[in-house]
Amino acid sequence: MKYVSTRGQTDPVGFREAVMMGLARDGGLLLPEAIPDASAALERWRPLDYRALACEVMSLYTDVPAETTRRVIGKSYATFAHDEVTPVSRVGEAFILELFHGPTLAFKDVALQYLGHLFELILGEENRRLNILAATSGDTGSAAIHGVRGREGIRIFVMHPHGKISVIQEKQMTSVLDSNVFNIAVDGTFDDCQGIMKTIFNDLAFKDRYELGSVNSINWARVLAQIVYYFYAAFRVMDATSADRVRFSVPTGNFGDILAGYMAARMGLPVGALVLATNENDILSRFFNTGVYSLGAVHATLSPSMDIQVASNFERYLYCRVGEDAARLRGMMSEFHETKSLSIEPRPDGSIDDLFVAGVGDRAATLATIEDFNDKYDYLLDPHTAVGVHVGLQYLSDDEPMICLATAHPAKFPGAIREATGKDIAKHPIVDALADLPTRCEVLPASPDSLKDYLANAIAGGTARLT
Ligand SMILES: *Cc1c(COP(=O)(O)O)cnc(C)c1O
């Protein structure tokens, strides 16, 4: 399988190169040159357990030998607390797909545990090293750190804004003491962290010299790992009901998770609708209702991992939506760059897409949904999941069961749970244990030069200091 850029100005690359590259060299995102058709395999795949299914799905997209993929998958999901990796259960009128049984209790573990092992494999084969630089406002940093801790040939440097992330999120990162993990609290905001990262990645000589790479959600391997659970969940729900088609509701920020659902549907999984749910940061739900994608201000909400305006994976969808016309896509992206807005023509029936529908779950809806599910079903939703459930319940149908993706464990967001229920009932032993763990973190000024000095020194063999 070869991968092409959405901007159409680089030569196709193989799977390993696509994984190591992240962003394509022409600034576009990489996609498989053809989406494989799995319709004929569905009956054979249906009885498989999660890991075996993952091997089948991945073998369509990679040139890694099946035996190696099996080993990588086995190691990736050994850290999950549930046998099924991503179990599904019926709760009220919906099915909940629990994606939070990984080490950091958020769905990002599903992809980042896999990516960590995949990096290790590729680096080992090619005798290369990788120094990952990341900026985080919360969940991504901890999932990335847990994905590569202790991995051969990899160091990870994660910047977070000093004192500006939740105590749980900070502890989940700084309590990882492996010698290849470097936590950096930047005296500034999340935007400062991202700015520093951009400056450093734009210094190509520095980037090459220090073998810098990234783990952000545009990496194709992250999307690939997420495709698997759409198949897995659909099969379990079709087994449990007489349905032969399902719907998914997905709480969305960067459009990474729901893009995987779109790919699964394009591969032939019988999906009747993809419900895109946002919080008050609603650029994507406005797009799927009006065809206009225009930038708004970022609001702080109860679901902070979705507090995003420019959705980095959206370009992959747009490319497909405009018939894989890279020249047209380039025009749209430069229009967006200049005017902060782009638009597409509705379809003849007035809709924007035949698969996606979209809506918003605001603060009040988030709290009400958490309270309602706790009262009625004794089931605690985290605030991100609650946004998806709130919108998903507006699109129920008689013959297509609704599967709502649960993207984090409620214990990661005890404040929202307390506000919704009036009680401190969101608990998890992983979170409880954090309080007593020793931590390590370096505080640095918000300047690219101090970061560069720190990186150069650490990569040259300086070790991280215990504080
Ligand atoms: C990252 C994240 C999301 C949003 O996922 P995208 O792939 O960015 O759309 C939703 N919920 C939680 C808990 C997350 O960490």
Side-chain angles (χ1 to χ4, degrees):
M1 176 70 78
K2 290 280 185 196
Y3 289 81
V4 295
S5 167
T6 51
R7 308 267 173 111
Q9 295 183 315
T10 51
D11 290 334
V13 297
F15 175 72
R16 288 173 174 74
E17 219 180 326
V19 172
M20 297 309 293
M21 201 180 269
L23 198 67
R25 280 189 222 296
D26 59 3
L29 304 194
L30 295 163
L31 271 174
E33 61 185 352
I35 296 170
D37 181 359
S39 344
L42 294 180
E43 279 315 304
R44 187 168 56 81
W45 286 3
R46 186 155 161 173
L48 299 178
D49 68 21
Y50 190 93
R51 293 167 179 84
L53 179 62
C55 292
E56 294 287 336
V57 172
M58 285 169 179
S59 72
L60 298 179
Y61 287 95
T62 74
D63 46 6
V64 177
E67 194 43 49
T68 309
T69 298
R70 246 190 297 285
R71 210 174 59 237
V72 169
I73 297 290
K75 288 195 282 191
S76 302
Y77 299 121
T79 52
F80 275 60
H82 201 287
D83 255 8
E84 283 191 74
V85 185
T86 65
V88 189
S89 45
R90 183 191 270 281
V91 183
E93 292 179 284
F95 288 84
I96 304 285
L97 168 57
E98 296 183 348
L99 301 172
F100 52 70
H101 293 282
T104 73
L105 310 179
F107 92 97
K108 292 185 173 71
D109 288 327
V110 178
L112 283 162
Q113 287 289 312
Y114 168 68
L115 185 61
H117 287 283
L118 191 60
F119 274 150
E120 186 177 47
L121 173 80
I122 297 172
L123 294 170
E125 285 174 351
E126 299 179 1
N127 198 18
R128 289 164 61 179
R129 302 186 60 84
L130 176 67
N131 293 301
I132 295 164
L133 179 61
T136 190
S137 56
D139 284 343
T140 306
S142 56
I145 285 173
H146 285 260
V148 303
R149 65 185 296 181
R151 295 275 94 78
E152 199 64 41
I154 305 176
R155 293 186 193 85
I156 185 165
F157 299 85
V158 177
M159 291 181 274
H160 69 265
H162 191 197
K164 295 194 177 70
I165 61 175
S166 85
V167 176
I168 292 175
Q169 288 173 327
E170 182 181 334
K171 274 245 158 176
Q172 278 189 313
M173 296 196 285
T174 58
S175 63
V176 180
L177 303 181
D178 298 69
S179 61
N180 70 330
V181 173
F182 300 81
N183 277 289
I184 302 156
V186 170
D187 263 329
T189 62
F190 176 60
D191 287 337
D192 292 328
C193 298
Q194 278 201 309
I196 290 169
M197 178 139 145
K198 260 204 186 127
T199 307
I200 294 180
F201 276 111
N202 282 335
D203 181 345
L204 293 179
F206 187 88
K207 180 172 177 256
D208 290 345
R209 174 159 180 213
Y210 292 105
E211 300 170 297
L212 296 186
S214 91
V215 283
N216 63 28
S217 77
I218 52 105
N219 195 305
W220 171 255
R222 288 186 58 179
V223 178
L224 176 57
Q226 292 168 179
I227 293 174
V228 177
Y229 52 68
Y230 284 89
F231 281 92
Y232 186 76
F235 291 150
R236 293 300 73 77
V237 169
M238 294 191 304
D239 289 346
T241 63
S242 56
D244 50 19
R245 193 168 281 276
V246 296
R247 300 182 173 189
F248 288 97
S249 177
V250 188
T252 301
N254 259 324
F255 206 81
D257 201 0
I258 200 164
L259 178 78
Y262 176 64
M263 289 291 151
R266 298 270 312 261
M267 289 169 72
L269 186 68
V271 178
L274 283 172
V275 182
L276 180 147
T278 65
N279 60 27
E280 288 91 333
N281 297 287
D282 62 350
I283 181 169
L284 286 167
S285 53
R286 279 185 283 123
F287 171 80
F288 282 104
N289 284 303
T290 65
V292 179
Y293 185 76
S294 71
L295 201 61
V298 180
H299 305 278
T301 72
L302 292 173
S303 40
S305 296
M306 291 151 58
D307 290 351
I308 285 161
Q309 279 292 337
V310 180
S312 50
N313 264 294
F314 183 60
E315 180 168 336
R316 285 189 166 117
Y317 164 78
L318 261 189
Y319 175 76
C320 298
R321 178 66 176 74
V322 300
E324 309 189 355
D325 181 344
R328 179 153 173 225
L329 182 91
R330 284 200 302 277
M332 293 172 86
M333 295 316 290
S334 66
E335 183 188 335
F336 182 74
H337 190 73
E338 280 156 28
T339 65
K340 306 297 172 214
S341 178
L342 65 80
S343 60
I344 59 160
E345 281 294 299
R347 296 163 0 108
D349 68 357
S351 67
I352 300 306
D353 191 282
D354 56 356
L355 195 57
F356 285 89
V357 290
V360 176
D362 64 9
R363 184 183 178 87
T366 303
L367 293 171
T369 307
I370 294 172
E371 188 184 13
D372 197 42
F373 267 60
N374 184 49
D375 287 351
K376 280 197 193 132
Y377 313 118
D378 199 19
Y379 190 94
L380 263 189
L381 303 169
D382 104 285
H384 303 78
T385 306
V387 168
V389 169
H390 168 76
V391 181
L393 291 179
Q394 295 163 21
Y395 292 96
L396 294 176
S397 92
D398 287 340
D399 48 359
E400 297 178 355
M402 178 66 72
I403 303 173
C404 297
L405 275 61
T407 52
H409 191 282
K412 280 196 94 164
F413 302 95
I417 303 301
R418 194 180 310 120
E419 196 174 335
T421 65
K423 290 176 270 188
D424 266 320
I425 44 177
K427 298 283 176 197
H428 193 286
I430 289 182
V431 174
D432 293 341
L434 288 174
D436 303 322
L437 296 178
T439 61
R440 190 178 66 217
C441 184
E442 193 82 23
V443 182
L444 292 180
S447 94
D449 284 340
S450 38
L451 247 294
K452 280 186 182 173
D453 284 348
Y454 180 81
L455 289 174
N457 188 40
I459 294 169
T463 47
R465 269 174 280 153
L466 270 170
T467 53

mmCIF file of all heavy atoms in Angstrom, residues 314-347:
data_model
loop_
_atom_site.group_PDB
_atom_site.id
_atom_site.type_symbol
_atom_site.label_atom_id
_atom_site.label_comp_id
_atom_site.label_asym_id
_atom_site.label_seq_id
_atom_site.Cartn_x
_atom_site.Cartn_y
_atom_site.Cartn_z
ATOM 1 N N PHE A 314 -9.206 17.195 9.512
ATOM 2 C CA PHE A 314 -10.351 17.501 8.654
ATOM 3 C C PHE A 314 -9.948 17.520 7.175
ATOM 4 O O PHE A 314 -10.727 17.159 6.297
ATOM 5 C CB PHE A 314 -10.932 18.845 9.086
ATOM 6 C CG PHE A 314 -12.147 19.262 8.335
ATOM 7 C CD1 PHE A 314 -13.299 18.484 8.352
ATOM 8 C CD2 PHE A 314 -12.153 20.441 7.601
ATOM 9 C CE1 PHE A 314 -14.431 18.881 7.659
ATOM 10 C CE2 PHE A 314 -13.275 20.842 6.913
ATOM 11 C CZ PHE A 314 -14.415 20.064 6.934
ATOM 12 N N GLU A 315 -8.699 17.915 6.923
ATOM 13 C CA GLU A 315 -8.218 17.980 5.538
ATOM 14 C C GLU A 315 -8.344 16.626 4.835
ATOM 15 O O GLU A 315 -8.583 16.560 3.629
ATOM 16 C CB GLU A 315 -6.762 18.477 5.521
ATOM 17 C CG GLU A 315 -6.175 18.575 4.135
ATOM 18 C CD GLU A 315 -4.855 19.335 4.082
ATOM 19 O OE1 GLU A 315 -4.588 20.167 4.970
ATOM 20 O OE2 GLU A 315 -4.090 19.080 3.135
ATOM 21 N N ARG A 316 -8.180 15.538 5.592
ATOM 22 C CA ARG A 316 -8.306 14.214 4.967
ATOM 23 C C ARG A 316 -9.733 13.985 4.479
ATOM 24 O O ARG A 316 -9.963 13.444 3.399
ATOM 25 C CB ARG A 316 -7.910 13.120 5.961
ATOM 26 C CG ARG A 316 -6.405 13.013 6.173
ATOM 27 C CD ARG A 316 -6.067 11.764 6.991
ATOM 28 N NE ARG A 316 -4.649 11.465 6.937
ATOM 29 C CZ ARG A 316 -3.831 11.480 7.998
ATOM 30 N NH1 ARG A 316 -4.295 11.769 9.195
ATOM 31 N NH2 ARG A 316 -2.557 11.194 7.851
ATOM 32 N N TYR A 317 -10.694 14.390 5.288
ATOM 33 C CA TYR A 317 -12.089 14.244 4.874
ATOM 34 C C TYR A 317 -12.386 15.118 3.653
ATOM 35 O O TYR A 317 -12.995 14.670 2.679
ATOM 36 C CB TYR A 317 -13.034 14.593 6.031
ATOM 37 C CG TYR A 317 -14.434 14.833 5.546
ATOM 38 C CD1 TYR A 317 -15.267 13.759 5.237
ATOM 39 C CD2 TYR A 317 -14.909 16.123 5.322
ATOM 40 C CE1 TYR A 317 -16.544 13.974 4.727
ATOM 41 C CE2 TYR A 317 -16.171 16.350 4.817
ATOM 42 C CZ TYR A 317 -16.985 15.276 4.524
ATOM 43 O OH TYR A 317 -18.233 15.482 4.003
ATOM 44 N N LEU A 318 -11.944 16.384 3.735
ATOM 45 C CA LEU A 318 -12.226 17.320 2.637
ATOM 46 C C LEU A 318 -11.708 16.795 1.307
ATOM 47 O O LEU A 318 -12.367 16.902 0.273
ATOM 48 C CB LEU A 318 -11.542 18.661 2.909
ATOM 49 C CG LEU A 318 -12.352 19.803 3.500
ATOM 50 C CD1 LEU A 318 -11.510 21.070 3.471
ATOM 51 C CD2 LEU A 318 -13.662 20.014 2.757
ATOM 52 N N TYR A 319 -10.499 16.225 1.351
ATOM 53 C CA TYR A 319 -9.884 15.660 0.153
ATOM 54 C C TYR A 319 -10.805 14.603 -0.461
ATOM 55 O O TYR A 319 -11.052 14.589 -1.676
ATOM 56 C CB TYR A 319 -8.530 15.078 0.537
ATOM 57 C CG TYR A 319 -7.787 14.346 -0.548
ATOM 58 C CD1 TYR A 319 -7.130 15.028 -1.557
ATOM 59 C CD2 TYR A 319 -7.717 12.943 -0.526
ATOM 60 C CE1 TYR A 319 -6.433 14.341 -2.535
ATOM 61 C CE2 TYR A 319 -7.013 12.250 -1.496
ATOM 62 C CZ TYR A 319 -6.374 12.951 -2.506
ATOM 63 O OH TYR A 319 -5.684 12.270 -3.472
ATOM 64 N N CYS A 320 -11.348 13.730 0.373
ATOM 65 C CA CYS A 320 -12.276 12.710 -0.127
ATOM 66 C C CYS A 320 -13.564 13.374 -0.631
ATOM 67 O O CYS A 320 -14.109 13.011 -1.672
ATOM 68 C CB CYS A 320 -12.629 11.704 0.971
ATOM 69 S SG CYS A 320 -11.206 10.783 1.575
ATOM 70 N N ARG A 321 -14.025 14.378 0.098
ATOM 71 C CA ARG A 321 -15.299 15.029 -0.223
ATOM 72 C C ARG A 321 -15.247 15.753 -1.573
ATOM 73 O O ARG A 321 -16.260 15.859 -2.265
ATOM 74 C CB ARG A 321 -15.659 16.004 0.919
ATOM 75 C CG ARG A 321 -16.931 16.808 0.758
ATOM 76 C CD ARG A 321 -18.166 15.927 0.772
ATOM 77 N NE ARG A 321 -19.396 16.725 0.707
ATOM 78 C CZ ARG A 321 -19.827 17.342 -0.389
ATOM 79 N NH1 ARG A 321 -19.146 17.256 -1.516
ATOM 80 N NH2 ARG A 321 -20.935 18.058 -0.360
ATOM 81 N N VAL A 322 -14.046 16.264 -1.950
ATOM 82 C CA VAL A 322 -13.935 16.948 -3.247
ATOM 83 C C VAL A 322 -13.417 15.994 -4.333
ATOM 84 O O VAL A 322 -12.825 16.428 -5.320
ATOM 85 C CB VAL A 322 -13.053 18.225 -3.185
ATOM 86 C CG1 VAL A 322 -13.636 19.214 -2.188
ATOM 87 C CG2 VAL A 322 -11.600 17.907 -2.832
ATOM 88 N N GLY A 323 -13.664 14.692 -4.136
ATOM 89 C CA GLY A 323 -13.324 13.724 -5.171
ATOM 90 C C GLY A 323 -11.826 13.539 -5.368
ATOM 91 O O GLY A 323 -11.364 13.289 -6.468
ATOM 92 N N GLU A 324 -11.054 13.662 -4.261
ATOM 93 C CA GLU A 324 -9.603 13.456 -4.292
ATOM 94 C C GLU A 324 -8.931 14.370 -5.308
ATOM 95 O O GLU A 324 -7.955 13.994 -5.963
ATOM 96 C CB GLU A 324 -9.279 11.965 -4.533
ATOM 97 C CG GLU A 324 -10.042 11.074 -3.545
ATOM 98 C CD GLU A 324 -9.627 9.619 -3.562
ATOM 99 O OE1 GLU A 324 -8.811 9.245 -4.407
ATOM 100 O OE2 GLU A 324 -10.130 8.869 -2.715
ATOM 101 N N ASP A 325 -9.464 15.568 -5.421
ATOM 102 C CA ASP A 325 -8.917 16.554 -6.343
ATOM 103 C C ASP A 325 -7.935 17.436 -5.559
ATOM 104 O O ASP A 325 -8.333 18.392 -4.888
ATOM 105 C CB ASP A 325 -10.098 17.375 -6.901
ATOM 106 C CG ASP A 325 -9.653 18.439 -7.899
ATOM 107 O OD1 ASP A 325 -8.446 18.753 -7.945
ATOM 108 O OD2 ASP A 325 -10.524 18.953 -8.619
ATOM 109 N N ALA A 326 -6.627 17.081 -5.629
ATOM 110 C CA ALA A 326 -5.616 17.749 -4.802
ATOM 111 C C ALA A 326 -5.489 19.230 -5.147
ATOM 112 O O ALA A 326 -5.287 20.067 -4.265
ATOM 113 C CB ALA A 326 -4.265 17.044 -4.948
ATOM 114 N N ALA A 327 -5.648 19.573 -6.430
ATOM 115 C CA ALA A 327 -5.521 20.986 -6.820
ATOM 116 C C ALA A 327 -6.655 21.794 -6.192
ATOM 117 O O ALA A 327 -6.456 22.878 -5.643
ATOM 118 C CB ALA A 327 -5.550 21.112 -8.336
ATOM 119 N N ARG A 328 -7.855 21.246 -6.240
ATOM 120 C CA ARG A 328 -8.998 21.955 -5.647
ATOM 121 C C ARG A 328 -8.805 22.090 -4.129
ATOM 122 O O ARG A 328 -9.080 23.124 -3.536
ATOM 123 C CB ARG A 328 -10.288 21.187 -5.974
ATOM 124 C CG ARG A 328 -11.476 21.850 -5.372
ATOM 125 C CD ARG A 328 -12.777 21.589 -6.118
ATOM 126 N NE ARG A 328 -13.860 22.170 -5.319
ATOM 127 C CZ ARG A 328 -14.996 21.561 -5.060
ATOM 128 N NH1 ARG A 328 -15.238 20.358 -5.564
ATOM 129 N NH2 ARG A 328 -15.916 22.143 -4.319
ATOM 130 N N LEU A 329 -8.310 21.001 -3.510
ATOM 131 C CA LEU A 329 -8.080 21.047 -2.069
ATOM 132 C C LEU A 329 -7.045 22.119 -1.714
ATOM 133 O O LEU A 329 -7.229 22.873 -0.753
ATOM 134 C CB LEU A 329 -7.623 19.688 -1.539
ATOM 135 C CG LEU A 329 -7.456 19.772 -0.030
ATOM 136 C CD1 LEU A 329 -8.720 19.385 0.691
ATOM 137 C CD2 LEU A 329 -6.286 18.998 0.457
ATOM 138 N N ARG A 330 -5.969 22.195 -2.498
ATOM 139 C CA ARG A 330 -4.943 23.220 -2.234
ATOM 140 C C ARG A 330 -5.570 24.613 -2.275
ATOM 141 O O ARG A 330 -5.286 25.457 -1.437
ATOM 142 C CB ARG A 330 -3.813 23.152 -3.274
ATOM 143 C CG ARG A 330 -2.840 22.007 -3.069
ATOM 144 C CD ARG A 330 -1.512 22.271 -3.781
ATOM 145 N NE ARG A 330 -1.647 22.480 -5.226
ATOM 146 C CZ ARG A 330 -1.732 21.504 -6.135
ATOM 147 N NH1 ARG A 330 -1.708 20.239 -5.748
ATOM 148 N NH2 ARG A 330 -1.815 21.784 -7.417
ATOM 149 N N GLY A 331 -6.446 24.827 -3.231
ATOM 150 C CA GLY A 331 -7.127 26.119 -3.339
ATOM 151 C C GLY A 331 -7.960 26.399 -2.093
ATOM 152 O O GLY A 331 -7.933 27.504 -1.543
ATOM 153 N N MET A 332 -8.689 25.369 -1.636
ATOM 154 C CA MET A 332 -9.535 25.565 -0.455
ATOM 155 C C MET A 332 -8.687 25.846 0.784
ATOM 156 O O MET A 332 -9.040 26.696 1.606
ATOM 157 C CB MET A 332 -10.396 24.318 -0.220
ATOM 158 C CG MET A 332 -11.419 24.090 -1.316
ATOM 159 S SD MET A 332 -12.270 22.498 -1.129
ATOM 160 C CE MET A 332 -13.578 22.966 -0.031
ATOM 161 N N MET A 333 -7.570 25.133 0.923
ATOM 162 C CA MET A 333 -6.738 25.335 2.110
ATOM 163 C C MET A 333 -6.086 26.715 2.095
ATOM 164 O O MET A 333 -5.944 27.347 3.133
ATOM 165 C CB MET A 333 -5.669 24.236 2.237
ATOM 166 C CG MET A 333 -6.215 22.836 2.470
ATOM 167 S SD MET A 333 -7.550 22.673 3.679
ATOM 168 C CE MET A 333 -6.683 22.997 5.208
ATOM 169 N N SER A 334 -5.715 27.206 0.897
ATOM 170 C CA SER A 334 -5.093 28.531 0.913
ATOM 171 C C SER A 334 -6.164 29.597 1.141
ATOM 172 O O SER A 334 -5.912 30.609 1.789
ATOM 173 C CB SER A 334 -4.229 28.791 -0.324
ATOM 174 O OG SER A 334 -5.014 28.830 -1.461
ATOM 175 N N GLU A 335 -7.374 29.349 0.656
ATOM 176 C CA GLU A 335 -8.480 30.260 0.961
ATOM 177 C C GLU A 335 -8.713 30.316 2.480
ATOM 178 O O GLU A 335 -8.870 31.390 3.069
ATOM 179 C CB GLU A 335 -9.755 29.780 0.262
ATOM 180 C CG GLU A 335 -10.941 30.704 0.463
ATOM 181 C CD GLU A 335 -12.238 30.098 -0.088
ATOM 182 O OE1 GLU A 335 -12.156 29.245 -1.010
ATOM 183 O OE2 GLU A 335 -13.311 30.481 0.399
ATOM 184 N N PHE A 336 -8.683 29.139 3.108
ATOM 185 C CA PHE A 336 -8.898 29.109 4.561
ATOM 186 C C PHE A 336 -7.773 29.839 5.287
ATOM 187 O O PHE A 336 -7.996 30.564 6.248
ATOM 188 C CB PHE A 336 -9.000 27.653 5.050
ATOM 189 C CG PHE A 336 -9.277 27.563 6.523
ATOM 190 C CD1 PHE A 336 -10.533 27.865 7.024
ATOM 191 C CD2 PHE A 336 -8.279 27.198 7.412
ATOM 192 C CE1 PHE A 336 -10.801 27.814 8.388
ATOM 193 C CE2 PHE A 336 -8.533 27.139 8.777
ATOM 194 C CZ PHE A 336 -9.797 27.447 9.263
ATOM 195 N N HIS A 337 -6.544 29.644 4.793
ATOM 196 C CA HIS A 337 -5.385 30.292 5.393
ATOM 197 C C HIS A 337 -5.539 31.815 5.354
ATOM 198 O O HIS A 337 -5.247 32.511 6.314
ATOM 199 C CB HIS A 337 -4.129 29.852 4.640
ATOM 200 C CG HIS A 337 -2.861 30.255 5.302
ATOM 201 N ND1 HIS A 337 -2.405 29.648 6.446
ATOM 202 C CD2 HIS A 337 -1.976 31.227 4.993
ATOM 203 C CE1 HIS A 337 -1.285 30.227 6.818
ATOM 204 N NE2 HIS A 337 -1.001 31.184 5.956
ATOM 205 N N GLU A 338 -6.068 32.313 4.225
ATOM 206 C CA GLU A 338 -6.178 33.767 4.066
ATOM 207 C C GLU A 338 -7.414 34.354 4.724
ATOM 208 O O GLU A 338 -7.365 35.414 5.343
ATOM 209 C CB GLU A 338 -6.193 34.123 2.567
ATOM 210 C CG GLU A 338 -4.803 34.119 1.958
ATOM 211 C CD GLU A 338 -4.843 33.894 0.451
ATOM 212 O OE1 GLU A 338 -5.863 34.257 -0.177
ATOM 213 O OE2 GLU A 338 -3.849 33.350 -0.091
ATOM 214 N N THR A 339 -8.555 33.683 4.576
ATOM 215 C CA THR A 339 -9.820 34.297 5.019
ATOM 216 C C THR A 339 -10.375 33.652 6.281
ATOM 217 O O THR A 339 -11.401 34.093 6.799
ATOM 218 C CB THR A 339 -10.898 34.160 3.928
ATOM 219 O OG1 THR A 339 -11.194 32.764 3.764
ATOM 220 C CG2 THR A 339 -10.409 34.719 2.596
ATOM 221 N N LYS A 340 -9.725 32.583 6.777
ATOM 222 C CA LYS A 340 -10.206 31.836 7.951
ATOM 223 C C LYS A 340 -11.561 31.185 7.698
ATOM 224 O O LYS A 340 -12.337 30.932 8.611
ATOM 225 C CB LYS A 340 -10.293 32.732 9.199
ATOM 226 C CG LYS A 340 -9.000 33.473 9.528
ATOM 227 C CD LYS A 340 -7.878 32.504 9.868
ATOM 228 C CE LYS A 340 -6.544 33.217 10.013
ATOM 229 N NZ LYS A 340 -5.428 32.399 9.553
ATOM 230 N N SER A 341 -11.856 30.939 6.425
ATOM 231 C CA SER A 341 -13.140 30.329 6.099
ATOM 232 C C SER A 341 -13.041 29.592 4.770
ATOM 233 O O SER A 341 -12.312 30.016 3.874
ATOM 234 C CB SER A 341 -14.210 31.432 6.011
ATOM 235 O OG SER A 341 -15.448 30.871 5.660
ATOM 236 N N LEU A 342 -13.745 28.479 4.652
ATOM 237 C CA LEU A 342 -13.874 27.816 3.359
ATOM 238 C C LEU A 342 -15.262 27.202 3.304
ATOM 239 O O LEU A 342 -15.917 27.033 4.333
ATOM 240 C CB LEU A 342 -12.779 26.755 3.152
ATOM 241 C CG LEU A 342 -12.715 25.521 4.045
ATOM 242 C CD1 LEU A 342 -13.718 24.449 3.633
ATOM 243 C CD2 LEU A 342 -11.306 24.923 3.982
ATOM 244 N N SER A 343 -15.735 26.879 2.098
ATOM 245 C CA SER A 343 -17.066 26.284 2.043
ATOM 246 C C SER A 343 -17.182 25.317 0.884
ATOM 247 O O SER A 343 -16.407 25.368 -0.074
ATOM 248 C CB SER A 343 -18.122 27.383 1.902
ATOM 249 O OG SER A 343 -17.892 28.097 0.724
ATOM 250 N N ILE A 344 -18.144 24.410 0.983
ATOM 251 C CA ILE A 344 -18.450 23.511 -0.122
ATOM 252 C C ILE A 344 -19.945 23.602 -0.421
ATOM 253 O O ILE A 344 -20.741 24.002 0.428
ATOM 254 C CB ILE A 344 -18.077 22.040 0.188
ATOM 255 C CG1 ILE A 344 -18.832 21.554 1.415
ATOM 256 C CG2 ILE A 344 -16.594 21.847 0.372
ATOM 257 C CD1 ILE A 344 -18.898 20.061 1.469
ATOM 258 N N GLU A 345 -20.289 23.222 -1.636
ATOM 259 C CA GLU A 345 -21.682 23.226 -2.072
ATOM 260 C C GLU A 345 -22.441 22.095 -1.397
ATOM 261 O O GLU A 345 -21.961 20.960 -1.365
ATOM 262 C CB GLU A 345 -21.730 22.954 -3.586
ATOM 263 C CG GLU A 345 -21.418 24.147 -4.444
ATOM 264 C CD GLU A 345 -22.492 25.215 -4.302
ATOM 265 O OE1 GLU A 345 -23.656 24.914 -4.633
ATOM 266 O OE2 GLU A 345 -22.152 26.329 -3.846
ATOM 267 N N PRO A 346 -23.648 22.354 -0.897
ATOM 268 C CA PRO A 346 -24.471 21.249 -0.404
ATOM 269 C C PRO A 346 -24.797 20.277 -1.548
ATOM 270 O O PRO A 346 -24.690 20.636 -2.717
ATOM 271 C CB PRO A 346 -25.753 21.939 0.075
ATOM 272 C CG PRO A 346 -25.377 23.352 0.290
ATOM 273 C CD PRO A 346 -24.280 23.659 -0.691
ATOM 274 N N ARG A 347 -25.203 19.052 -1.186
ATOM 275 C CA ARG A 347 -25.642 18.096 -2.189
ATOM 276 C C ARG A 347 -27.037 18.489 -2.668
ATOM 277 O O ARG A 347 -27.679 19.339 -2.058
ATOM 278 C CB ARG A 347 -25.626 16.696 -1.576
ATOM 279 C CG ARG A 347 -24.208 16.272 -1.187
ATOM 280 C CD ARG A 347 -24.092 15.095 -0.221
ATOM 281 N NE ARG A 347 -25.326 14.526 0.201
ATOM 282 C CZ ARG A 347 -25.771 13.329 -0.202
ATOM 283 N NH1 ARG A 347 -25.069 12.605 -1.039
ATOM 284 N NH2 ARG A 347 -26.902 12.868 0.263
#
